Amino acid sequence: MRALLSLLLVLFALPAAAAPALDRLKLPPGFHVAVYSDQVPNAREIALGAKGTVFVGSNDAGKVYALTDGNGDGVADRVRVIASGLQLPVGVAFRDGDLYVSAVSRIYVLRDIENHLDAPPQPEVVTDRLPTETHHGWKFIAFGPDGKLYVPVGAPCNICDPGPDHAKLLRMNPDGGGWQDVARGIRNTVGFDWQPGTKQLWFTDNGRDMLGDDRPSDELNRVTKPDEHFGYPYCHQGDTLDPEFGKGKRCQDYTPPVLKLGAHVAALGMRFYTGSQFPARYRGAIFVAEHGSWNRTQKSGYRVMAVRLDGAKVVAYEPFITGFEQDEKAWGRPADVQPLPDGSLLVSDDLAGAVYRVTYRP
């Protein structure tokens, strides 16, 4: 079948997808990166099943993928499409055998999915009451330590005052009921996780565009109290009033970020690292996938960063994987990070249509 496909590509002059250029990537000494699968177009959020299945959301023809490594060699040997035709099903979250999928205004669930990968069930609607705008409408989702499903609702614009139904993070019961706002003043979070031990919620937030190359910064934030407000659209990066919506406001009235991640880096998925394979300096650290800028004079982001912590205090913000972009040309764009039970780390790349696996062997 592959030989036939190659022949057809030659006959009809259709370009094959370029293989991920892993030789261009730079990691700290002792770390290695390999392709887990290069058959996942527009790969976005990653979720892990109880039986080792790697689920990946995407914006490719509404598809959701299931990746399995049958022989345990660290490479996916099966890639299945388990749902299609959904609206931007970027977010995936696994709980009690079921896979939850975000689709802009809807959350779906695929029941008992790992036992039905070859004949997946029809997606069931959990809720269809989320806003319908697609501008910042695709969603990273995750279950918290409280058993609730956390769902962001981004601002339907670059900069606006959208009212109480947008620019926030909410949570709901697994059946779609019991909605509750968790935090407000969030332009668009596409990554969040709970710190081990404290169970506090941390999240990335993308700063607004069109204020120049170097402001405002994307943010790493921490939720410390109910219904906390993080500034959007009035104050950006904790210290910069918006030229239009900041009039009459004060930045000190809103929660500042724990860390400024850099202007326009497009910080997306983030996870705490709790494994033991990586050196001790990375245990409890946050890995952040920075998708990369789209309108900056010189590109920023296009990397995976490590945020090392001492409790809630940031002690270092340093590159972990770089090389997805050289000379202002990008071949890859990290979208999410997900530690595996063996302590390795998966990284999704929606531009290359791939998922990578990072291991440590000194």
Side-chain angles (χ1 to χ4, degrees):
M1 185 67 182
R2 288 186 177 179
L4 177 59
L5 178 58
S6 298
L7 178 60
L8 289 173
L9 289 173
V10 172
L11 289 175
F12 293 97
L14 297 175
L22 297 190
D23 59 327
R24 300 182 185 178
L25 296 180
K26 295 182 180 180
L27 294 88
F31 285 94
H32 307 268
V33 61
V35 173
Y36 188 76
S37 174
D38 59 3
Q39 302 298 312
V40 194
N42 297 113
R44 299 285 294 208
E45 187 179 357
I46 305 170
L48 302 182
K51 297 182 178 181
T53 309
V54 174
F55 297 102
V56 185
S58 81
N59 55 5
D60 172 53
K63 294 178 181 177
V64 180
Y65 296 88
L67 285 56
T68 52
D69 173 12
N71 59 11
D73 65 353
V75 178
D77 45 43
R78 290 285 305 275
V79 177
R80 300 173 174 90
V81 175
I82 57 171
S84 60
L86 305 181
Q87 186 181 23
L88 303 175
V90 166
V92 286
F94 186 85
R95 180 181 183 273
D96 294 341
D98 301 331
L99 184 70
Y100 291 73
V101 180
S102 68
V104 185
S105 64
R106 298 185 172 200
I107 303 292
Y108 292 97
V109 62
L110 281 70
R111 301 290 185 190
D112 194 28
I113 183 60
E114 284 189 292
N115 291 323
H116 300 90
L117 294 177
D118 290 320
Q122 286 296 313
E124 300 175 15
V125 175
V126 173
T127 184
D128 59 1
R129 297 191 296 117
L130 293 161
T132 59
E133 294 92 347
T134 56
H135 192 129
H136 296 153
W138 44 18
K139 296 171 173 61
F140 179 105
I141 58 175
F143 279 96
D146 54 8
K148 305 274 189 177
L149 181 64
Y150 285 66
V151 180
V153 182
C157 55
N158 170 39
I159 184 71
C160 61
D161 194 344
D165 293 335
H166 295 81
K168 64 182 181 179
L169 180 63
L170 60 83
R171 63 183 177 183
M172 64 181 69
N173 297 330
D175 64 2
W179 287 29
Q180 181 182 18
D181 287 352
V182 175
R184 298 178 295 126
I186 302 169
R187 180 174 178 268
N188 187 36
T189 178
V190 196
F192 43 87
D193 196 11
W194 289 261
Q195 186 174 29
T198 70
K199 296 184 179 180
Q200 285 190 321
L201 175 62
W202 295 58
F203 66 92
T204 59
D205 192 15
N206 288 183
R208 65 157 293 179
D209 296 313
M210 308 308 176
L211 284 186
D213 275 359
D214 299 319
R215 66 182 185 131
S217 178
D218 284 9
E219 301 175 1
L220 178 65
N221 294 288
R222 178 169 60 102
V223 178
T224 61
K225 58 186 178 183
D227 204 28
E228 200 163 2
H229 198 297
F230 289 86
Y232 179 88
Y234 316 116
C235 175
H236 310 293
Q237 67 177 32
D239 58 14
T240 301
L241 287 174
D242 188 83
E244 178 181 359
F245 294 96
K247 295 175 182 178
K249 305 292 185 180
R250 304 185 311 162
C251 280
Q252 54 263 44
D253 293 333
Y254 309 104
T255 301
V258 175
L259 178 65
K260 297 177 184 179
L261 300 174
H264 310 299
V265 298
L268 301 187
M270 59 145 286
R271 295 295 200 300
F272 283 92
Y273 182 78
T274 58
S276 58
Q277 183 182 131
F278 291 4
R281 68 197 304 263
Y282 292 103
R283 293 170 195 170
I286 300 171
F287 288 110
V288 181
E290 295 184 354
H291 197 233
S293 60
W294 65 273
N295 65 342
R296 198 170 182 272
T297 303
Q298 291 186 322
K299 287 182 168 58
S300 61
Y302 299 92
R303 60 191 182 181
V304 176
M305 298 292 285
V307 181
R308 294 193 290 112
L309 303 171
D310 181 4
K313 180 182 178 182
V314 174
V315 297
Y317 175 50
E318 56 197 21
F320 184 66
I321 309 176
T322 60
F324 291 99
E325 172 266 324
Q326 293 97 17
D327 301 321
E328 296 299 301
K329 295 180 180 179
W331 63 266
R333 303 188 79 180
D336 195 17
V337 290
Q338 176 64 68
L340 290 178
D342 67 356
S344 60
L345 181 74
L346 295 182
V347 179
S348 62
D349 177 347
D350 64 350
L351 181 57
V355 176
Y356 314 117
R357 179 170 174 259
V358 180
T359 55
Y360 180 74
R361 297 189 306 276

